[in-house]
Amino acid sequence: MNKRLEDQQFAHQEFSEILSEQQGMTFKFKLKQGRFIHTFCAGQLLYKIGLSPEMIIGKELKDFLPCDVAEYKEPFYYEAWEGKEGISYESEKEGIFYLASLRPIKQSGMVIEVIASCVDITERKKAEEELRATKELLESLFGNSVDGIYIADMEGKVIRTNRSFENIFGWTEEEVVGKEVRSFPLDIKSDFAEISKQLQNGMEVVRFETVAQRKDGEMIYIHLTMSPIKDAQGKVIALTGITKDISERKKSEDFLRKADKLNVVGQLAAGFAHEIRNPLTTLRGFLQLMQSGKNWKSDYYDIMVDEIDRINSIICEFLALAKPQSMSFKEHDVGIILQNVITLLEAQATLNNIQFHVQVDRSLPLVKCSEIEIKQVFVNIIKNAIEAMPSGGIISIVTVVEANYIYIRFKDQGEGIPETLIQRLGEPFFTTKEKGTGLGLMMCYKIIGDHKGKLAVNSIVGEGTTFEIKIPKYC
């Protein structure tokens, strides 16, 4: 008998030790004379919340908890004592959140004790709070963004829009929900399936600029950024579009392009005068020779015709650069465009004791571009190179074809640009020149960007600067 009692005591002690080492907390209570008295309490969670078994066993709730907390828990205690199953509540102490689940222990149909199991849910509460805060932040960003935002399902039908969407396009959320995305211009609606496929296959963002129609019929320029919305498993379940009205920016860019073009024309005037004067002097000399009737040769006619053709070529290039033209993308040979620009700038280069070393492939692939705008970029870059070498030197121009791109590199022998300033090139009104505005190079970056290309600058102080244009070839 004593052996059996010893075994029971040992088992009880071992069980108590196990409960004491658990990460959570277990406690029991009974109803005695109208008071819920705790008969057992153990677990590491107990110490986390600043309590101990001695503070709880033999005590009721109000003995170790604030009155308001005790009053909050007592109704749950009563429900469990009445035999209800599945009673639970959340509580917090010392910054630790925990979930308590109460289960009545019955004997002959009567509740004789209630046992509770508690688990630490602090991390879950933190995650829930972070999720709630994130949701509120996202809702705030969505609702108050100055950009028009819409969310569409995988078929392109609108799920939600924000207030700025209505301001940009004129349609309210009620008018567009369930309908096809109206911010899609007509010319790309047929491409929605392809865009959706790209985003589902891993592409994170699709960006482009285009023209869209407002509710009132007005056509506006927009910049549209599309990205996927994924579920917990990473599956794309919807698409979001962020639209910016860039109509005013487009007007400003058009103005700056025209202003920069006229500025270039003005700066080239002296060079043109010098370049045209040379063949005119030659022609005048031959005419005087004809008048005198001395030593006239038929070869002189060919020279005169060549000089007249050169004057005509220079004037045509000058007029092409100065004449306002609508931007249209067509297939062009950038090698020919480059040679024409070099012809245009040879006079200015000669005046500054500068020579061109040109290595242009005669069979370059065609490029889909705006000829007048690519000319403007070439003129700006070469003119900058000339101005970077006041004592003269060599400008090397090389073209290289790699994969699907054509690279055009312009290297001067100027003083170079410090690395700290290279990052700022292209900013409006930032320039390394004494009388520059920075607008010319800014427009170069913009034009090359519009052609799906890139403009990169590498420079070594004391050795020179290389401008590299990367532009996709036309396939």
Side-chain angles (χ1 to χ4, degrees):
M1 184 70 177
N2 290 336
K3 174 65 174 166
R4 182 178 179 185
L5 182 60
E6 287 177 2
D7 290 342
Q8 289 177 344
Q9 289 176 343
F10 178 78
H12 178 74
Q13 182 179 352
E14 187 176 28
F15 182 66
S16 297
E17 289 176 356
I18 292 173
L19 291 178
S20 297
E21 294 300 321
Q22 66 172 315
Q23 292 298 311
M25 177 174 66
T26 301
F27 65 87
K28 296 192 293 182
F29 62 83
K30 292 182 178 182
L31 183 63
K32 294 181 178 180
Q33 299 177 351
R35 299 164 59 205
F36 289 110
I37 304 299
H38 294 82
T39 59
F40 176 81
C41 190
Q44 296 300 310
L45 180 58
L46 177 65
Y47 300 99
K48 281 186 179 181
I49 62 177
L51 298 174
S52 66
E54 292 77 19
M55 298 170 66
I56 295 177
I57 296 174
K59 308 288 180 62
E60 58 180 319
L61 287 169
K62 65 181 181 180
D63 292 333
F64 57 87
L65 293 177
C67 291
D68 58 335
V69 178
E71 290 176 0
Y72 162 71
K73 292 185 177 182
E74 279 192 352
F76 298 106
Y77 277 40
Y78 275 112
E79 288 185 87
W81 189 258
E82 290 173 356
K84 293 184 180 179
E85 300 283 349
I87 302 300
S88 63
Y89 62 85
E90 291 183 7
S91 189
E92 179 271 334
K93 194 173 188 306
E94 302 293 329
I96 304 297
F97 292 86
Y98 60 92
L99 174 67
S101 300
L102 310 181
R103 185 172 66 84
I105 299 173
K106 299 179 181 180
Q107 188 174 26
S108 302
M110 297 291 293
V111 176
I112 60 170
E113 200 170 26
V114 174
I115 186 169
S117 176
C118 303
V119 292
D120 187 343
I121 59 169
T122 304
E123 292 303 318
R124 193 194 79 185
K125 295 294 286 187
K126 287 181 180 178
E128 288 176 353
E129 178 60 26
E130 289 175 359
L131 185 61
R132 182 194 62 78
T134 301
K135 182 179 179 181
E136 289 180 357
L137 177 62
L138 291 176
E139 285 293 332
S140 176
L141 290 173
F142 182 84
N144 299 310
S145 173
V146 296
D147 298 327
I149 303 175
Y150 67 82
I151 300 174
D153 61 22
M154 301 311 295
E155 295 179 356
K157 294 182 178 178
V158 177
I159 300 173
R160 284 192 66 185
T161 65
N162 67 349
R163 190 184 303 110
S164 293
F165 182 94
E166 179 180 352
N167 295 337
I168 294 173
F169 296 102
W171 283 287
T172 64
E173 186 175 49
E174 292 75 15
E175 289 178 309
V176 297
V177 167
K179 298 179 181 177
E180 190 174 306
V181 177
R182 292 186 179 272
S183 65
F184 264 29
L186 293 174
D187 59 341
I188 67 164
K189 279 185 178 179
S190 59
D191 294 334
F192 181 83
E194 180 60 29
I195 294 173
S196 175
K197 183 179 178 182
Q198 291 175 357
L199 294 174
Q200 288 186 75
N201 289 340
M203 185 175 288
E204 294 297 328
V205 178
V206 175
R207 298 186 182 94
F208 49 86
E209 293 180 2
T210 187
V211 178
Q213 187 175 27
R214 285 174 44 85
K215 182 180 179 180
D216 59 12
E218 179 187 356
M219 303 302 293
I220 59 174
Y221 285 97
I222 64 167
H223 181 279
L224 179 59
T225 301
M226 293 187 63
S227 55
I229 298 175
K230 301 178 181 179
D231 61 15
Q233 287 71 44
K235 180 183 178 182
V236 178
I237 57 174
L239 303 176
T240 181
I242 301 176
T243 55
K244 295 178 182 286
D245 184 350
I246 58 172
S247 300
E248 291 302 317
R249 194 194 82 189
K250 282 290 187 180
K251 291 178 183 177
S252 298
E253 287 175 0
D254 186 52
F255 173 79
L256 288 174
R257 288 182 186 183
K258 290 177 181 177
D260 182 60
K261 192 186 301 180
L262 292 174
N263 180 52
V264 169
V265 170
Q267 291 184 16
L268 293 177
F272 283 125
H274 176 81
E275 186 70 10
I276 292 174
R277 186 169 56 190
N278 288 338
L280 285 176
T281 301
T282 302
L283 290 172
R284 189 175 187 279
F286 280 125
L287 287 173
Q288 288 177 330
L289 187 63
M290 290 176 66
Q291 284 179 330
S292 66
K294 298 178 181 179
N295 301 321
W296 182 259
K297 298 180 181 180
S298 60
D299 292 343
Y300 293 165
Y301 289 113
D302 294 332
I303 296 174
M304 294 176 69
V305 170
D306 289 342
E307 293 296 293
I308 292 172
D309 287 342
R310 178 164 178 75
I311 292 173
N312 183 61
S313 173
I314 294 169
I315 292 174
C316 287
E317 287 301 319
F318 184 85
L319 292 175
L321 186 64
K323 182 180 178 181
Q325 297 183 21
S326 59
M327 189 173 74
S328 59
F329 284 70
K330 296 180 180 178
E331 294 82 38
H332 292 285
D333 186 331
V334 291
I336 294 176
I337 296 175
L338 187 57
Q339 290 289 358
N340 290 338
V341 170
I342 292 170
T343 299
L344 193 67
L345 294 171
E346 275 181 338
Q348 188 173 353
T350 302
L351 286 173
N352 289 274
N353 194 30
I354 290 172
Q355 296 180 346
F356 292 117
H357 284 188
V358 183
Q359 297 179 32
V360 177
D361 194 331
R362 293 182 178 276
S363 57
L364 284 176
L366 295 180
V367 169
K368 194 167 187 179
C369 66
S370 167
E371 180 182 8
I372 188 64
E373 296 218 325
I374 292 297
K375 277 185 180 179
Q376 186 176 347
V377 171
F378 291 164
V379 167
N380 270 316
I381 292 176
I382 295 175
K383 184 167 65 67
N384 285 345
I386 292 173
E387 292 173 356
M389 296 187 292
S391 301
I394 296 173
I395 297 175
S396 300
I397 303 173
V398 179
T399 61
V400 177
V401 180
E402 293 181 6
N404 295 321
Y405 291 91
I406 297 175
Y407 294 82
I408 307 148
R409 301 185 180 106
F410 303 82
K411 187 179 187 307
D412 64 49
Q413 295 177 332
E415 289 299 316
I417 305 170
E419 187 175 351
T420 54
L421 300 182
I422 289 180
Q423 301 297 326
R424 297 192 61 192
L425 293 180
E427 292 181 13
F429 307 110
F430 173 78
T431 177
T432 57
K433 296 183 291 186
E434 184 177 348
K435 297 183 179 179
T437 64
L439 297 178
L441 195 53
M442 182 194 77
M443 294 313 304
C444 289
Y445 276 99
K446 183 66 181 66
I447 290 170
I448 296 302
D450 288 343
H451 285 75
K452 313 295 184 187
K454 289 185 178 180
L455 176 58
V457 183
N458 294 298
S459 186
I460 299 176
V461 175
E463 294 187 18
T465 302
T466 301
F467 281 79
E468 180 184 80
I469 294 173
K470 173 186 175 183
I471 191 166
K473 65 183 184 181
Y474 180 69
C475 298

